[in-house]
Amino acid sequence: MKKLVTLSPLFVLIAAAAAHADNTPAPAWHYNIGAMYEIENVEGQEDDKDGLYEPSVYFNAAYGDWTLSVAMYQEGPADYSNFTRGGYFNRPEMSVRYQFIDNEQATFGVTGNVRNYGYHFKNDDGSRAGTANTVRYGLTPDWNIAFDPQWSFNGWLSLYQFRNDLDETGYSDSRIEAETGIKYKFNDTVSLKTNYYIERGFNIDSDRNNGEFSTQEMRIYLPIELGTNTFTPYTRLTLDRWSNWDWQTDLDREGHNFSRIGLFYGHDFSNGLSMSLEYAYEWEDHDDKHSSDDRFHYAGIGVNYAF
């Protein structure tokens, strides 16, 4: 993911000493710095005006089995109708990852992270209406198991806890998110990945029902690698989806059926620099009597430099 890091000299000395003690070559530093610009828009959605976007910048530093990272995200919703913006660049995230296993048969790592969700609310006339800051703590194991040169099983699982200002931001206090599945490699050019995805927001506190939701999808990817170019057409098919984000006025769950098609393109310039482009179109069908069906667009552009 995305990030900025500072390592203490003591950590560097300890790692170097350990590498020397077992007569193995000392690991080298590896860095990544980059930025993403993502745009989301629902057709004809008045509340969205021109949509919303989330720019982000990140920095990663890897040393041996450790990776430390920092990212900074835009707040999110933006209203360009009167040339003003309703968001701030105030969502930092810090993470630490340790790679426990890394060989041709299997990999296994665990990432711990913390992220702040900052909000600056506005009244209808554009005047300030207060702020809120919700903190998310996360733990994410990830894995890959190769059964043979063609078949492999991979995925990740994130467990989150949310704290502070939950009534203002509308978040539930707990969340689980995961994606896992099978990859089949036809040859060095084409692969097929079939994954199950789930994201579930819920409350451990029985007296709260803020922002509970559930999303289950089948996600299918077809990565095509042609030299320094990667094309990945993909689709997301809804298995089950509901939410009660309008908990203040309506406790009933709203059912949804979202299906998406998209294309990711990545290019490696072979000098440490790489970039990516992505576009997706989504059908959003709701069974709520107060809302109609929507059509959703996503676009993203990213650049990364490894050194």
Side-chain angles (χ1 to χ4, degrees):
M1 211 103 172
K2 317 166 183 180
K3 317 82 205 193
L4 176 182
V5 188
T6 322
L7 294 182
S8 71
L10 179 60
F11 173 82
V12 177
L13 291 174
I14 292 173
H20 179 75
D22 61 9
N23 297 318
T24 58
W29 284 101
H30 298 281
Y31 305 97
N32 284 273
I33 186 170
M36 285 286 297
Y37 192 88
E38 300 170 278
I39 300 173
E40 299 180 355
N41 185 59
V42 176
E43 292 181 6
Q45 178 60 263
E46 292 182 1
D47 292 337
D48 266 354
K49 302 298 183 182
D50 289 337
L52 62 84
Y53 73 97
E54 186 181 62
S56 58
V57 292
Y58 62 91
F59 182 85
N60 302 341
Y63 188 83
D65 295 323
W66 292 92
T67 302
L68 290 89
S69 312
V70 164
M72 185 69 76
Y73 299 88
Q74 162 71 31
E75 177 179 321
D79 178 358
Y80 302 100
S81 59
N82 58 357
F83 303 101
T84 63
R85 190 176 71 189
Y88 295 77
F89 209 58
N90 65 343
R91 292 190 174 185
E93 181 177 35
M94 300 182 65
S95 67
V96 179
R97 183 179 186 276
Y98 184 74
Q99 184 83 22
F100 289 93
I101 301 172
D102 188 7
N103 56 57
E104 293 183 357
Q105 286 72 42
T107 64
F108 177 74
V110 176
T111 301
N113 64 75
V114 58
R115 180 173 179 177
N116 181 76
Y117 288 79
Y119 287 90
H120 288 69
F121 300 110
K122 288 187 175 183
N123 296 312
D124 291 340
D125 61 3
S127 60
R128 294 183 179 183
T131 63
N133 286 282
T134 293
V135 181
R136 185 194 73 184
Y137 301 94
L139 187 67
T140 303
D142 61 85
W143 62 88
N144 182 74
I145 302 172
F147 301 115
D148 58 37
Q150 291 180 301
W151 293 94
S152 61
F153 172 68
N154 57 78
W156 51 271
L157 168 66
S158 292
L159 305 172
Y160 297 118
Q161 281 286 304
F162 291 78
R163 295 286 183 268
N164 304 331
D165 295 338
L166 300 184
D167 288 335
E168 287 80 3
T169 60
Y171 290 119
S172 56
D173 61 36
S174 304
R175 189 177 300 183
I176 182 173
E177 185 178 13
E179 184 171 354
T180 185
I182 297 293
K183 177 181 178 180
Y184 180 76
K185 185 176 181 180
F186 294 97
N187 49 50
D188 291 338
T189 300
V190 182
S191 301
L192 176 66
K193 296 173 62 178
T194 304
N195 289 358
Y196 168 75
Y197 171 85
I198 183 172
E199 185 177 19
R200 174 75 164 90
F202 58 96
N203 289 287
I204 294 179
D205 184 350
S206 59
D207 294 330
R208 303 180 69 257
N209 63 351
N210 288 20
E212 295 187 344
F213 68 93
S214 177
T215 298
Q216 297 183 66
E217 297 175 337
M218 182 65 68
R219 295 185 171 185
I220 302 171
Y221 309 85
L222 187 69
I224 302 171
E225 298 184 14
L226 299 172
T228 57
N229 300 293
T230 300
F231 300 87
T232 306
Y234 66 89
T235 185
R236 298 179 181 179
L237 304 175
T238 298
L239 301 176
D240 177 66
R241 188 171 185 134
W242 59 264
S243 65
N244 73 335
W245 285 100
D246 297 326
W247 77 95
Q248 293 174 318
T249 57
D250 186 0
L251 297 181
D252 293 335
R253 294 177 177 178
E254 300 175 12
H256 313 276
N257 183 21
F258 293 6
S259 293
R260 172 183 292 200
I261 57 172
L263 175 65
F264 171 89
Y265 168 68
H267 179 74
D268 185 351
F269 292 94
S270 301
N271 59 359
L273 184 66
S274 59
M275 67 170 297
S276 65
L277 298 170
E278 184 176 355
Y279 171 78
Y281 180 78
E282 187 170 273
W283 295 264
E284 300 184 349
D285 300 328
H286 313 278
D287 67 7
D288 175 54
K289 60 181 178 295
H290 302 296
S291 60
S292 59
D293 297 340
D294 296 312
R295 299 296 176 260
F296 172 90
H297 300 268
Y298 166 86
I301 181 172
V303 61
N304 181 82
Y305 182 68
F307 57 101

